[in-house]
Every structure is written in structure tokens, then in C-alpha cells.
Amino acid sequence: MEKIRFIHCADLHLDSPFVGLKHVPPELFDRIQNSTFAAFENLVKEAIQKKIDFMIISGDLFDEEDRSIRAQARLLNQFNLLNDFGIPVYVIHGNHDHLGSFRLELDMPRNVHVFNKETEVKELVTKSGSVVKLAGFSYGTRHIRERRISDYPKQLEADYVIGLLHGSEGSVHSSHESYAPFTINELKEKNYHYWALGHIHQRQVLHHEPPIVYPGNIQGRHRKETGEKGCYLVELLDHDAVLEFISTQDLLWEKIEVSLEGVERFGEIFQRISRTAEEYEGIDDCLLQVVLEDYQSLSPEMIEAIEGGDLLQALQTDLQTGERIKWIHSIKLSRIENVDIDVKDPFISDVIAALTDIDVEEGVKALAEIYEHPSLYRYIDPLSEEELSHLVEEAVDLILHPARNQ
């Protein structure tokens, strides 16, 4: 049996809108807007350089249901490049880019193989002669709430069998049920060599034998998606697997914490943040969120200057033109570490705990039924993850500091 080598990626979210950024210089704004495309171009370069046998994309190629022609055209260019190097691509569509959404049908090159809404099996014979069978399905509509794992066949005759699935891991009673839910045991029972998952943006290996893998998204899209983003280069030889994470992001979203202990003047705050940002050593150009800690000694006027945006505007001067870009996109007070201050009411304490434990992505999903209600959908614009996160923070602040918010 010959070794096979492939790249597994997911959640490209091409053409993501990147909402919530303020006072960004035009040149940096353009780069942010193009970062998802740049990340996929980085990924394709890696695929060509590594001479992979094939590529798997496990859903959410586009960010919006009504995908732009620009996004489709730029994706097509990269698929054509892979075709020039004889690299097949196997694609399932997820909840963001389901098959029922509007799209201008562009002719895909022959190396691109898209799965239908019903679970199907596609076969590939690699250049070395290995027979690979891939099982998967694309979302026909935005919400796939039922369990689809039973549709995947068990006994497939091939050197290697790979499952593609865009969905949420969890038990029957899990909060992740709304998107093609499954359990690890259900996947293991299929006896596949590899499970190529998508939908969760934080990369994680759920199981090693066989590998059950979320690669995460290829480019962070907001302050919650910090750290390196990318794909996995996978080598399989029989049931032995080697996984190598490859970074693809064009820009890093990162968080730096700055202590204001002992600070008495506004200028000291400015200097501490500037020094911490300058000393931060990221692996790539960065979009930084500053989290201020130990700020209890600050006066109400200083707090107001911070929350009103005066401090942020003072720090956002010229875009750095050195070796690395370090753009401060937001400043926030560390609410969480101060939640237990002056909170003696157990009910209020429980409410704050519930708010601060909210998973933002799941919160957006939980609101989906309201957005789709026949009497409401015309009047409500869906909240983004960033907007919901801000609402949660404001709610906690309102509970903790009612007088300051009157």
C-alpha cells in the first residue's frame, strides 16, 4: 500500500465583511478585506509546493449565502491553478454556502468535485496507484438539524476511506445539535482512515486513531479568532497518520493584556500600552486588542475617556511601516476579572456568570430561529458574532455599573 498525502482545510469564509473596525487606514482596510483570499492563496501555494495528491475543503467556502461574483471568480482562479498542477479538489458545502443559496454558476475545472446534498461516495486513484474513496454531503439548506452520520456507508472497498462532514460534535442532548450533529463513537464505527471535519473555527484533533480533525478556519475574522489559522497536511500509510499544521493567515488577530496598577495619569496609560504593543513579538502582521487590567484606581473621567474611544484614537496614529504591522483595533476593560467586585446578590452573580459563559458562535445560532420567523425576519438584521459579543459585554457592564450607564 502506497502512502497518500493531502491537505484538509475548511471554513474559508471568502469575502468575510470584517465589521466593527474603526479608524483603519485605507491601505490596511484593503488588506483586511482581502485577507481571506490571501490566506487561501497561501494555502494553494503550500499544496503545490508539497506536491499533495488531493485537497479536501470541508464546507463554508464563502461567508455569505449570496456569494459575490468576485469571491467566486477568485476561488475559481485558485482551482484552475491547482488543476494546472494536477491536484484534485473535493468540496462539501456547509451552512454558510449551502447549495440552495444564490450563486452565479461558474464553470469549474475538471479537478473540482463537489458533493451533492445526499450523501455520496467519490473515488480517486492517486498517481502512485492508491484507491481512495471519499464519502460526504453538501448542505442543501442553511440548517441541517438532523443527524446525517447514519447515511455514511460502512464497508467501502478501497486502500483509504475518508469521510467529509460539516457539523457539530456532541451527544444527542448537546447544544451543538442544530448542525448535522455526531459523536466520536459514531465516526469510529464507520472504520474510515480519516475524518475531515468543518464548521468549528478552532482547530482541534478530536481523536487520533483514526484521526478525527477540525482544521479551524484559514484566516481569523474578528478578535475572538486569535492565533494562527490554517490547514493540516496529512500523510496516511495504512492506518498510520502524520498531521502537520500549516499556517495560512495573512493577518493575525491577537490580544495583549496591560496592567494599570498604580497608574494615576492618562499619559501613563498611553505609555504602558504603547510599550507593550512595541514589545509584542507576533509571527505575522497583527491586529491587536488591548485588555486593560488592574484599573480600579482610575478615576471615572479616565474610565470615560477609555470607553469613549479617546484613548484608542490617540494610539491609532500612523500605520506602522516597519517589518511588522501592529494595529490596535480596540481597547477594553477586563470585565471578567472584576465581576465578583461588589456583587453580593446571588441572582445577579448567576446572571453575570451565564452571560460571561456564552459561546458567541452558539449564541448567534440560537438566535437563528428568531431571524427566520415569518412575522419578524423582514424587520430584523441578524447580529454578527462581533455584535453579539459587544452586547454581552455591555450587558455585564450595565449590571455592574448601573450609575455610570444612566
Side-chain angles (χ1 to χ4, degrees):
M1 184 180 295
E2 297 294 328
K3 176 175 67 177
I4 63 171
R5 173 188 281 193
F6 62 92
I7 276 180
H8 168 207
C9 64
D11 299 285
L12 313 185
H13 288 275
L14 299 178
D15 226 6
S16 185
F18 292 94
V19 298
L21 295 173
K22 297 179 180 179
H23 312 299
V24 180
E27 61 270 34
L28 179 56
F29 181 78
D30 289 342
R31 183 168 170 190
I32 294 170
Q33 290 292 93
N34 282 285
S35 61
T36 52
F37 297 111
F40 189 60
E41 290 166 5
N42 292 339
L43 191 154
V44 169
K45 289 176 185 176
E46 289 285 345
I48 294 169
Q49 181 181 351
K50 304 291 186 185
K51 299 180 179 179
I52 63 173
D53 293 306
F54 57 95
M55 179 185 293
I56 292 173
I57 306 179
S58 297
D60 285 357
L61 287 75
F62 304 98
D63 191 66
E64 300 292 341
E65 293 183 79
D66 297 340
R67 63 207 67 167
S68 70
I69 296 175
R70 178 181 83 128
Q72 293 181 74
R74 293 189 67 170
L75 179 69
L76 179 60
N77 286 339
Q78 295 305 305
F79 282 166
N80 279 322
L81 185 57
L82 291 168
N83 188 44
D84 292 341
F85 284 86
I87 299 175
V89 184
Y90 292 86
V91 174
I92 59 174
H93 287 279
N95 53 297
H96 276 263
D97 62 344
H98 59 86
L99 295 177
S101 58
F102 169 79
R103 60 192 185 279
L104 179 67
E105 292 290 355
L106 301 179
D107 292 333
M108 289 294 172
R110 64 178 182 271
N111 66 318
V112 177
H113 308 275
V114 179
F115 287 76
N116 294 320
K117 65 179 181 179
E118 302 298 334
T119 304
E120 59 179 325
V121 178
K122 297 183 181 294
E123 182 175 309
L124 163 70
V125 179
T126 67
K127 293 175 181 177
S128 62
S130 294
V131 178
V132 182
K133 288 189 176 179
L134 304 98
F137 73 93
S138 291
Y139 281 42
T141 59
R142 185 173 179 90
H143 300 291
I144 302 293
R145 294 187 171 89
E146 66 270 21
R147 305 176 76 80
R148 294 287 300 268
I149 189 60
S150 61
D151 297 337
Y152 285 73
K154 257 190 177 182
Q155 304 300 326
L156 289 173
E157 294 296 327
D159 295 320
Y160 298 97
V161 181
I162 298 173
L164 288 68
L165 178 57
H166 191 86
S168 308
E169 187 278 327
S171 65
V172 174
H173 301 292
S174 168
S175 62
H176 297 275
E177 279 189 80
S178 58
Y179 291 89
F182 61 89
T183 65
I184 292 175
N185 283 337
E186 285 176 321
L187 302 192
K188 289 169 59 180
E189 288 171 358
K190 299 296 180 179
N191 295 318
Y192 289 8
H193 293 81
Y194 186 90
W195 278 96
L197 305 180
H199 183 54
I200 302 302
H201 290 186
Q202 183 64 42
R203 74 176 184 271
Q204 49 193 303
V205 179
L206 301 183
H207 196 265
H208 290 278
E209 295 182 10
I212 300 174
V213 180
Y214 282 114
N217 52 343
I218 64 171
Q219 168 64 55
R221 299 172 303 131
H222 52 73
R223 62 185 179 82
K224 293 285 187 178
E225 295 182 345
T226 57
E228 293 181 84
K229 299 293 182 179
C231 62
Y232 276 106
L233 174 66
V234 183
E235 291 187 356
L236 293 180
L237 179 57
D238 197 4
H239 286 280
D240 293 328
V242 177
L243 276 65
E244 177 189 347
F245 178 74
I246 298 175
S247 297
T248 60
Q249 76 280 331
D250 185 55
L251 290 166
L252 275 171
W253 293 77
E254 293 288 14
K255 178 174 70 174
I256 57 174
E257 297 172 347
V258 179
S259 173
L260 298 184
E261 186 174 4
V263 168
E264 296 180 354
R265 295 181 298 104
F266 193 81
E268 291 180 80
I269 303 175
F270 184 93
Q271 292 300 325
R272 287 200 186 185
I273 295 174
S274 298
R275 184 167 58 251
T276 304
E278 289 171 4
E279 293 173 353
Y280 178 79
E281 296 183 359
I283 63 170
D284 213 331
D285 291 342
C286 297
L287 301 170
L288 298 174
Q289 179 186 51
V290 176
V291 179
L292 301 179
E293 301 178 329
D294 308 314
Y295 57 84
Q296 293 84 353
S297 62
L298 299 186
S299 67
E301 291 75 19
M302 294 172 74
I303 293 287
E304 184 177 351
I306 294 170
E307 295 187 324
D310 293 346
L311 179 60
L312 179 61
Q313 289 188 36
L315 288 161
Q316 289 179 332
T317 53
D318 295 331
L319 177 65
Q320 294 188 29
T321 56
E323 293 184 2
R324 292 280 166 83
I325 294 172
K326 298 175 185 177
W327 176 259
I328 297 175
H329 66 82
S330 63
I331 301 173
K332 64 174 287 188
L333 300 172
S334 179
R335 307 290 187 196
I336 305 303
E337 71 166 26
N338 296 285
V339 160
D340 57 352
I341 298 175
D342 297 329
V343 178
K344 300 180 175 61
D345 187 318
F347 173 74
I348 293 178
S349 180
D350 288 345
V351 170
I352 292 174
L355 285 169
T356 54
D357 286 342
I358 286 177
D359 181 287
V360 175
E361 185 174 354
E362 290 304 316
V364 171
K365 294 174 188 175
L367 292 171
E369 292 188 13
I370 296 176
Y371 302 144
E372 295 170 1
H373 191 281
S375 300
L376 300 176
Y377 76 93
R378 294 183 180 87
Y379 312 105
I380 301 177
D381 291 325
L383 291 173
S384 66
E385 293 178 13
E386 183 79 5
E387 289 167 334
L388 181 58
S389 180
H390 282 311
L391 283 179
V392 169
E393 292 174 2
E394 289 172 4
V396 172
D397 185 44
L398 184 61
I399 293 171
L400 291 174
H401 310 287
R404 195 170 71 206
N405 289 279
Q406 288 179 351

